[in-house]
Amino acid sequence: MRRLQQECPCGSTATYDACCGRLHRQAARAATALELMRSRYAAYAVGDLDHVFRTWHPRTRPDDLEPDPSLTWTGLEVLGSGEDWVEFVASYSRGGVAGQRHERSLFEQRGGRWVYVGEAP
């Protein structure tokens, strides 16, 4: 319950409950590709891999997702976005060593919902 009142890991100034938490518990749908990408980052950060799997296009998603207990997501910077893409840098720590993932993600609407397709070539 404490997490609900904390700032959302996606970097917005809203609480987790008012921001990505509502998407994680399926009380709302992402209205844009950017909102979905932020919610997926936050899901990784809080360990909600069900949300990550649910929002991944069935054509490109893996058969299952395994948590990585040595990985802690530490920050998100959105570099740009369009209707169906988002470019970002996600910071993390793995075993005390800092790192970053830079990606330009592609999204599409499927059945009225935004889903992650994959990294742009």
Side-chain angles (χ1 to χ4, degrees):
M1 188 72 156
R2 199 171 128 240
R3 179 187 324 150
L4 298 178
Q5 299 309 313
Q6 292 177 341
E7 189 173 296
C8 191
C10 81
S12 75
T13 58
T15 64
Y16 170 75
D17 186 53
C19 191
C20 294
R22 64 193 174 81
L23 301 175
H24 294 172
R25 64 178 186 278
Q26 299 181 62
R29 290 183 182 179
T32 64
L34 177 58
E35 187 176 25
L36 180 64
M37 188 282 305
R38 285 182 169 282
S39 77
R40 287 173 53 84
Y41 170 83
Y44 278 112
V46 302
D48 186 351
L49 294 184
D50 288 341
H51 177 75
V52 174
F53 189 82
R54 213 175 29 249
T55 59
W56 206 321
H57 196 293
R59 184 182 72 239
T60 59
R61 73 178 169 220
D63 292 334
D64 61 2
L65 296 172
E66 295 294 325
D68 181 348
S70 71
L71 186 66
T72 301
W73 293 98
T74 58
L76 176 67
E77 178 184 4
V78 176
L79 303 176
S81 65
E83 184 178 346
D84 64 352
W85 64 273
V86 180
E87 185 174 359
F88 65 91
V89 174
S91 300
Y92 61 85
S93 175
R94 176 177 276 134
V97 178
Q100 292 186 326
R101 173 160 179 82
H102 180 190
E103 182 175 321
R104 183 177 170 122
S105 299
L106 298 176
F107 299 86
E108 70 179 50
Q109 286 202 320
R110 180 178 165 87
R113 293 178 176 223
W114 282 103
V115 292
Y116 170 74
V117 176
E119 189 170 355

